[in-house]
Amino acid sequence: MAPVVVLVGAPGCGKTTVGRALAATLGVEFRDTDADIEQMAGKPIPEIFIDEGEAHFRTLERAAVAAALAAGTGVLALGGGAVLAEETRAALIGHRVVHLSVELPDAVRRVGLGAGRPLLAINPRATLKHLLDQRRPFYAEVATETVVTDGRAPAQVAAEVAALLPR
């Protein structure tokens, strides 16, 4: 069994918000690997970064993604950096993966000053631009479809993703 759809994209693209709306529309479960990681670690992601570092977080993230893909839940949202891991990109082959694309102005407006986002703690705008530039090729590599989120309400994006899915 596989997830109905896996959502990937940069911070601020709406993976969690759109994912919840999409799952409700489809009548399936929603799962977010960031929430899984927090549950597994027993603490919020910013504390994982502070206490154990990014490398430890990425190890937890790879395990969380593998477990979620194997569980085959309805709508699955991956953390923005999950696609950096080659093994995660390989695991996504054969899954329906939708890249929720976002450009810098919308991402900055949605993310704000990065509260609760450890990688955006210092100079959020410049860091977010770097993350977008670094990760965009990986999102393109794993995506079976791309949906533009800029200037759109989460319900509109969820409706477009739902229309892409087989009936």
Side-chain angles (χ1 to χ4, degrees):
M1 187 158 161
V4 174
V5 65
V6 179
L7 302 177
V8 298
C13 74
K15 294 177 300 289
T16 300
T17 305
V18 169
R20 284 190 177 118
L22 179 60
T25 297
L26 299 175
V28 298
E29 180 185 341
F30 172 72
R31 185 168 182 173
D32 184 328
T33 57
D34 280 350
D36 291 352
I37 293 165
E38 290 184 339
Q39 185 174 18
M40 192 181 344
K43 59 177 121 178
I45 289 172
E47 288 183 26
I48 299 169
F49 269 75
I50 291 166
D51 297 345
E52 287 92 20
E54 184 177 359
H56 179 71
F57 169 78
R58 296 296 174 200
T59 298
L60 295 175
E61 184 174 54
R62 286 189 302 275
V65 171
L69 288 172
T73 189
V75 175
L76 175 61
L78 303 189
V83 297
L84 296 173
E86 187 176 334
E87 67 191 74
T88 295
R89 293 193 308 274
L92 290 170
I93 294 170
H95 290 278
R96 180 172 297 276
V97 180
V98 175
H99 169 211
L100 300 181
S101 75
V102 64
E103 296 303 322
L104 186 62
D106 272 39
V108 167
R109 190 174 66 254
R110 293 173 188 171
V111 170
L113 296 177
R117 296 177 188 261
L119 291 179
L120 300 179
I122 301 169
N123 195 345
R125 186 178 180 85
T127 303
L128 193 51
K129 180 183 181 330
H130 171 74
L131 293 178
L132 285 167
D133 292 345
Q134 173 196 41
R135 296 173 180 178
R136 194 172 275 125
F138 295 120
Y139 298 137
E141 178 185 331
V142 300
T144 54
E145 285 96 14
T146 297
V147 173
V148 174
T149 67
D150 299 282
R152 301 175 72 196
Q156 292 173 307
V157 176
E160 183 174 340
V161 174
L164 295 171
L165 302 176
R167 303 274 179 240

